[in-house]
Amino acid sequence: MKSRFTRIKEKIVDISVSDKQSIRDVLRQIDKGALGVALLMDSKTGIFKGLVTDGDVRRALIKGLDLDSPVSDIERPKTITASVTASSEEISGLFGEAVRVIPLLDGDRRVTDLAFFDTRVYLPVSEPNLGEKELKYVSECVLTGWVSSAGKYVTQFEQMFAQFCGTRYGISSSSGTTALHLALLSLGIGPGDEVIVPSFTFISTANAVVFTGATPIFVDSDIQTWNISAPEIEKAVTVRTKAIIPVHIYGHPADMAPILDIADRYNLAVVEDAAEAHGALYKGRKTGSLGDMGIFSFYGNKTITTGEGGMVVTDNKELADKIRILRDHGMDPQKRYHHSVLGYNYRMTNIQAALGVAQMERIDQIVQQKCTNAVFYNDALGEIPGITLPPQAEWAKNIYWLYSILIDEKSFGMSAGRLAARLKIKSIETRPLFPPVHQQPIYDTKQHLPVCEYLSSSGLSLPSSVNIDINEIGRIAWEIKNIRKKN
């Protein structure tokens, strides 16, 4: 278990000694358990009497005791204990510089478990969840030689993911960015055109627009959902506007109904950037299935991963056919090595798709675990002054790609950046929210978009992997509370 502490019940017998035994016996048990401590028990009742550390033994020998002296003669400080029913947060709060092992006692003061502080534990913001199926399918690719962009897993992954999204077609690509580029190219977007994008997103959303020769037009976000603001979209529409890219940020869907209404009234295409929103729902429908097309990323930190990789999903056969040609050097699918359009090498490999198939076989479980972890986080952090929890609109299902919070510097007592630095000392990785793209040096439009600027400066993403457990979430929450209290 990766946690602030680990429970090591099996060590109890190994490190137990009675108060009738000698210091020599204690040293044997300390060495046997490899934890630097022994549990001292009453020889008649078995009731726990306290911890004996290797430091206690060393000090006793310096004072004149010998190895055959009874362990009961050793002077020991009071042992910190906890009830076996204590919460993870309560146990975490008992550790300190001099407290690394906490016996957990039942109602009869008998040791039933141990909590051991592990300073080596590091909690990353995100890490992939890979298992035996992933290894099996990838190994099959290697053993059969089907390692490039041809192979059964590519087609299988595309079909599985399209079905998951509720769309007719899925076209895989080498990354989420190339998927977005392909989607825009298939719409004929190019020089002289404008595409409306949120400034509060990862920069690849805007970059894909620039790759086509078109111009990204940045608009502000909605403070409630953190997603692109529909009223701000309408203000930005011009005669040159050809498309809107709503980004389902951090796993929460954008409010698509007003966006689709604007698109319909102005004859604009809608390409959903759902790179962070695999399985998220908008009024019961999967993200990616609401606009003309949706794109997804399978980078290593995404909900499911192929290492690198992306996908376009759509119900439009004409667009799907165009994208397949564009991703494969512009090659005519009916005439090999015949190229009538400029294309790209944006294909996904069979090895990547093999990972994807294995991940798809348990995507519902992965998404549910992310949502469950968010519930634990909400319970643990919900009443801390100065913290705003992630958005959750009544019409949406947030899949919490990253569990991200906002820190109000005044009421919390410090900035998000300072909290991040303090958590880093505790081996807890965090990540700031995306900086506004309109302020990036390569764009720098001199706009003032207050909502996305506030979100970026106030936000912090906490460890969000499906590998994290409730004890680790309890540790993170305890550290945040403790940092605020001591500030």
Side-chain angles (χ1 to χ4, degrees):
M1 178 193 302
K2 298 183 305 176
S3 179
R4 178 186 176 90
F5 62 87
T6 55
R7 291 176 182 265
I8 44 178
K9 193 171 186 176
E10 64 275 11
K11 292 283 187 180
I12 294 174
V13 174
D14 290 344
I15 63 173
S16 294
V17 295
S18 79
D19 54 6
K20 299 296 186 182
Q21 290 182 275
S22 69
I23 292 177
R24 190 188 307 275
D25 296 324
V26 170
L27 286 174
R28 289 197 189 101
Q29 297 302 89
I30 289 175
D31 182 62
K32 184 178 180 181
L35 295 177
V37 299
L39 302 174
L40 184 61
M41 309 295 190
D42 186 282
S43 59
K44 295 181 179 179
T45 65
I47 291 176
F48 176 69
K49 299 186 69 174
L51 287 177
V52 182
T53 69
D54 49 4
D56 295 333
V57 171
R58 185 170 60 253
R59 286 185 288 272
L61 295 175
I62 291 173
K63 289 183 177 180
L65 295 183
D66 58 43
L67 292 177
D68 293 319
S69 299
V71 65
S72 56
D73 287 351
I74 297 177
E75 294 182 8
R76 298 171 288 104
K78 182 180 178 181
T79 300
I80 302 298
T81 64
S83 169
V84 71
T85 60
S87 68
S88 298
E89 183 176 337
E90 291 170 332
I91 295 171
S92 293
L94 297 175
F95 287 110
E97 289 300 319
V99 181
R100 287 294 182 265
V101 180
I102 298 176
L104 305 181
L105 310 182
D106 64 14
D108 297 323
R109 288 195 58 78
R110 297 179 187 276
V111 180
T112 61
D113 207 343
L114 297 171
F116 174 60
F117 187 94
D118 189 348
T119 56
R120 300 167 298 172
V121 168
Y122 175 73
L123 296 179
V125 165
S126 183
E127 58 183 343
N129 183 265
L130 304 174
E132 293 182 3
K133 284 290 186 70
E134 284 82 356
L135 179 60
K136 177 182 177 182
Y137 296 167
V138 169
S139 298
E140 180 186 322
C141 294
V142 174
L143 292 172
T144 60
W146 291 97
V147 296
S148 194
S149 57
K152 68 176 184 179
Y153 284 117
V154 175
T155 301
Q156 187 177 349
F157 182 41
E158 291 174 338
Q159 292 172 344
M160 292 175 76
F161 198 78
Q163 183 178 15
F164 173 76
C165 292
T167 60
R168 293 177 64 191
Y169 308 104
I171 309 97
S172 61
S173 69
S174 56
S175 70
T177 305
T178 58
L180 186 53
H181 186 202
L182 289 169
L184 296 173
L185 289 170
S186 73
L187 293 168
I189 290 172
D193 296 333
E194 294 177 348
V195 178
I196 296 173
V197 302
S199 182
F200 186 54
T201 182
F202 184 58
I203 200 167
S204 64
T205 308
N207 288 351
V209 176
V210 176
F211 295 163
T212 69
T215 301
I217 303 300
F218 301 109
V219 303
D220 209 352
S221 299
D222 170 68
I223 190 62
Q224 299 301 320
T225 67
W226 306 0
N227 281 294
I228 192 168
S229 166
E232 296 301 315
I233 291 174
E234 188 149 24
K235 292 178 186 177
V237 174
T238 72
V239 294
R240 297 171 64 186
T241 306
K242 293 297 185 290
I244 306 166
I245 304 178
V247 178
H248 304 302
I249 201 75
Y250 290 106
H252 190 289
D255 190 359
M256 291 298 295
I259 295 172
L260 294 171
D261 177 63
I262 293 169
D264 185 59
R265 285 189 283 112
Y266 292 97
N267 193 29
L268 306 176
V270 175
V271 180
E272 298 172 69
D273 185 338
E276 305 163 8
H278 312 61
L281 298 177
Y282 175 75
K283 297 183 178 180
R285 291 182 61 184
K286 294 277 181 67
T287 52
S289 69
L290 300 153
D292 295 281
M293 285 174 282
I295 71 95
F296 293 83
S297 168
F298 306 116
Y299 181 64
N301 66 6
K302 294 303 190 290
T303 305
I304 65 167
T305 184
T306 58
E308 285 279 5
M311 186 82 71
V312 184
V313 295
T314 184
D315 286 325
N316 188 310
K317 184 178 187 302
E318 181 182 354
L319 293 176
D321 289 343
K322 283 183 180 179
I323 291 170
R324 288 195 180 95
I325 292 171
L326 289 167
R327 74 167 175 182
D328 189 15
H329 302 281
M331 189 186 302
D332 188 327
Q334 305 303 322
K335 193 173 182 181
R336 194 168 182 82
Y337 304 131
H338 183 78
H339 306 265
S340 57
V341 298
L342 178 66
Y344 303 83
N345 182 8
Y346 283 173
R347 298 167 299 187
M348 175 179 282
T349 69
N350 199 44
I351 287 180
Q352 291 172 307
L355 278 176
V357 168
Q359 295 268 281
M360 285 302 300
E361 290 179 356
R362 53 196 180 89
I363 188 171
D364 291 330
Q365 173 191 343
I366 291 171
V367 169
Q368 183 55 52
Q369 187 60 55
K370 278 192 167 287
C371 294
T372 298
N373 288 346
V375 171
F376 292 146
Y377 263 128
N378 288 345
D379 288 344
L381 300 176
E383 296 184 2
I384 302 177
I387 291 182
T388 298
L389 301 181
Q392 179 54 73
E394 60 180 12
W395 39 260
K397 176 184 177 181
N398 188 349
I399 58 98
Y400 303 94
W401 166 57
L402 293 183
Y403 186 89
S404 304
I405 59 176
L406 303 179
I407 302 297
D408 182 87
E409 184 172 354
K410 184 175 180 181
S411 57
F412 188 80
M414 68 178 66
S415 67
R418 187 177 172 198
L419 174 60
R422 296 282 293 275
L423 289 172
K424 184 178 180 180
I425 295 171
K426 302 294 184 179
S427 295
I428 298 170
E429 183 188 22
T430 61
R431 191 168 298 167
L433 302 194
F434 297 127
V437 182
H438 74 277
Q439 294 181 336
Q440 293 280 1
I442 64 168
Y443 293 109
D444 195 15
T445 62
K446 309 301 182 186
Q447 292 171 272
H448 175 50
L449 304 178
V451 175
C452 72
E453 291 167 18
Y454 165 72
L455 294 172
S456 177
S457 64
S458 304
L460 202 63
S461 293
L462 303 177
S464 304
S465 167
V466 295
N467 301 329
I468 198 171
D469 63 33
I470 187 172
N471 289 326
E472 293 166 334
I473 291 172
R475 168 193 168 188
I476 294 163
W478 181 87
E479 294 289 6
I480 291 173
K481 292 176 184 177
N482 197 44
I483 288 169
R484 182 183 185 277
K485 183 172 63 176
K486 291 183 177 180
N487 184 54

